[in-house]
């Protein structure tokens, strides 16, 4: 199974398309998109705790566009340092921040400024001083090596043009014995070249 995009795929255009789509998701979450969004979807289809989501800011949950629930894989313990790769508007990030408590840290990384600002605003509204949201790319995380206890990610690494590099970044920042809790989209068979060159399919 190929882990990188075709060499002739315009990766700059791909990045621009991804940023454009998720900027719209941040500012117009009820708009017309080809993927599910929001807290009702998260609770009913992905098993999130509806009560916990109701405590979060609406702006953080309305733009949620994940594909799974990393929080169901393993508990995030108090005092841990957590990085959310592709944190979006911050729903998973804020849940992680509440789990680690004031003695821990929750660092979000997102490539879209509109999403990153939604996450920052959500942390401020919940008075979560342990949240740090950084603008960055999954293939070059702005995080020190071996500094993180847990990495979470939700439907983001499939968007990267070089999966090996993206996964390598996750394991670079994890401490020895750290946890990687993630959900993503996978395919059962190798896509054809025409499919792998279709930017519309990459961006969703």
């Amino acid at each position: 199974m190929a882990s990188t995009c075709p060499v002739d795929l315009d990766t700059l255009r791909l990045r621009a398309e991804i940023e454009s789509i998720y900027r719209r998701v941040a500012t117009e979450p009820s708009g017309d998109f080809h993927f599910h969004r929001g807290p009702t979807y998260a609770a009913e289809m992905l098993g999130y705790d509806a009560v916990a989501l109701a405590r979060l800011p609406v702006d953080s949950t309305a733009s949620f566009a994940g594909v799974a629930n990393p929080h169901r894989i393993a508990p995030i313990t108090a005092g841990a340092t957590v990085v959310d790769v592709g944190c979006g508007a911050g729903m998973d990030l804020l849940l992680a921040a509440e789990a680690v408590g004031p003695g821990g840290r929750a660092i979000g990384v997102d490539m879209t400024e509109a999403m990153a600002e939604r996450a920052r605003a959500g942390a401020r509204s919940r008075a979560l001083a342990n949240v740090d949201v950084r603008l960055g790319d999954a293939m070059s995380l702005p995080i020190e090596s071996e500094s993180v206890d847990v990495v979470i990610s939700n439907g983001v690494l499939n968007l990267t043009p070089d999966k090996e590099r993206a996964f390598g970044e996750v394991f670079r920042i994890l401490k020895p014995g750290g946890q990687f809790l993630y959900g993503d989209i996978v395919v059962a068979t190798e896509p054809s070249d025409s499919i792998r060159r279709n930017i519309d399919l990459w961006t969703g």
Side-chain angles (χ1 to χ4, degrees):
M1 187 72 68
S3 61
T4 57
C5 64
V7 294
D8 59 348
L9 185 70
D10 187 342
T11 55
L12 293 178
R13 183 186 163 211
L14 173 62
R15 180 186 177 98
E17 288 288 331
I18 291 170
E19 286 194 73
S20 175
I21 287 174
Y22 288 96
R23 188 183 309 116
R24 287 199 298 118
V25 174
T27 57
E28 305 172 48
S30 61
D32 184 19
F33 300 96
H34 63 276
F35 44 83
H36 297 291
R37 299 164 312 288
T40 301
Y41 153 65
E44 294 182 357
M45 298 185 68
L46 303 179
Y48 280 83
D49 182 341
V51 174
L53 297 186
R55 292 196 299 264
L56 299 181
V58 171
D59 282 348
S60 296
T61 59
S63 296
F64 171 77
V67 299
N69 184 350
H71 301 275
R72 297 188 69 184
I73 299 172
I76 296 174
T77 59
T81 295
V82 181
V83 167
D84 184 357
V85 179
C87 67
M91 192 179 92
D92 282 322
L93 178 68
L94 300 185
L95 292 174
E98 293 181 345
V100 301
R105 297 178 69 203
I107 304 168
V109 178
D110 204 88
M111 66 186 290
T112 306
E113 178 60 44
M115 282 292 196
E117 186 48 44
R118 282 287 172 102
R120 294 182 190 113
R124 289 192 297 268
S125 72
R126 292 287 296 162
L128 292 168
N130 60 345
V131 172
D132 175 10
V133 181
R134 305 176 185 180
L135 204 61
D137 191 294
M139 295 191 300
S140 183
L141 293 170
I143 309 288
E144 293 181 6
S145 298
E146 297 187 3
S147 63
V148 174
D149 300 298
V150 182
V151 172
I152 61 176
S153 188
N154 195 345
V156 171
L157 297 186
N158 74 89
L159 300 174
T160 62
D162 188 336
K163 273 62 170 178
E164 288 185 8
R165 183 173 171 185
F167 277 93
E169 279 292 278
V170 168
F171 292 107
R172 176 184 66 78
I173 69 173
L174 276 173
K175 296 176 182 177
Q179 292 180 299
F180 183 24
L181 313 179
Y182 80 107
D184 224 317
I185 297 171
V186 296
V187 293
T189 58
E190 183 74 60
S192 67
D193 283 347
S194 63
I195 289 175
R196 293 177 64 229
R197 287 182 171 85
N198 187 329
I199 282 185
D200 288 340
L201 296 178
W202 276 86
T203 55

